[in-house]
Amino acid sequence: MDILLERVDFQHIATELVKKAGLNSKIEFVNTGNNKADYNVDKDTIRIKPTSRFKDFLVTVFHEIDHAKDAQKMGKEKYKKAYEHEMNIAVSKGGDAHDDNYYEKKAEKYGRKMAKNYLRINRKNIYK
């Protein structure tokens, strides 16, 4: 018996999602250490740690897209200052510079919402 294994092309999907968001950000799949991904504002690059978990991947891509959209809307320098300001606020309140940062919370909420919508829409299309 032959088993056909099909792989979802994460690079293609991430690139398409970035384009649909109106961004020109580059996508790189690299080991990002302890983080699932990061957004390099200066290089306009979304770096993603390779994974095989599709829903987690979608949440991560949309999360980083939210950061890229903020940087595009505010301008790179203003976004970096605002992000750093939120880091300082989080730390001054005894929180974590990353996890308790307004921009991280906002991006995570956006990522989860958009991934859920993406999966719901594409599940419907499968059965048409």
Side-chain angles (χ1 to χ4, degrees):
M1 181 169 96
D2 289 336
I3 298 174
L4 178 65
L5 297 176
E6 189 172 312
R7 187 179 70 80
V8 175
D9 189 346
F10 284 26
Q11 176 79 41
H12 176 73
I13 291 170
T15 302
E16 289 300 308
L17 292 175
V18 165
K19 280 184 197 170
K20 285 180 182 174
L23 300 166
N24 294 316
S25 307
K26 291 173 274 326
I27 304 287
E28 291 178 357
F29 285 86
V30 294
N31 187 340
T32 53
N34 294 333
N35 299 327
K36 291 179 188 176
D38 58 45
Y39 174 64
N40 182 316
V41 180
D42 294 318
K43 293 182 179 178
D44 192 20
T45 301
I46 295 171
R47 297 176 346 124
I48 303 168
K49 183 187 285 188
T51 181
S52 59
R53 296 188 359 241
F54 189 58
K55 184 178 179 186
D56 198 40
F57 160 77
L58 288 173
V59 172
T60 300
V61 172
F62 282 118
H63 175 114
E64 299 306 330
I65 283 172
D66 192 64
H67 290 312
K69 285 171 64 174
D70 282 343
Q72 183 186 57
K73 186 169 48 185
M74 298 169 79
K76 290 178 182 181
E77 293 307 314
K78 188 174 177 187
Y79 174 71
K80 287 194 294 189
K81 283 181 183 170
Y83 186 96
E84 192 171 317
H85 178 72
E86 290 298 330
M87 286 173 71
N88 293 334
I89 289 172
V91 170
S92 73
K93 292 180 177 177
D96 183 85
H98 181 270
D99 295 347
D100 297 315
N101 183 315
Y102 163 78
Y103 288 103
E104 290 302 328
K105 288 180 178 180
K106 180 172 94 57
E108 192 61 21
K109 185 176 178 183
Y110 177 82
R112 290 184 186 285
K113 177 183 152 217
M114 294 300 289
K116 185 177 174 187
N117 290 346
Y118 179 94
L119 291 169
R120 191 183 74 243
I121 290 165
N122 286 298
R123 198 172 294 124
K124 284 181 184 173
N125 293 340
I126 291 169
Y127 298 110
K128 284 187 177 179

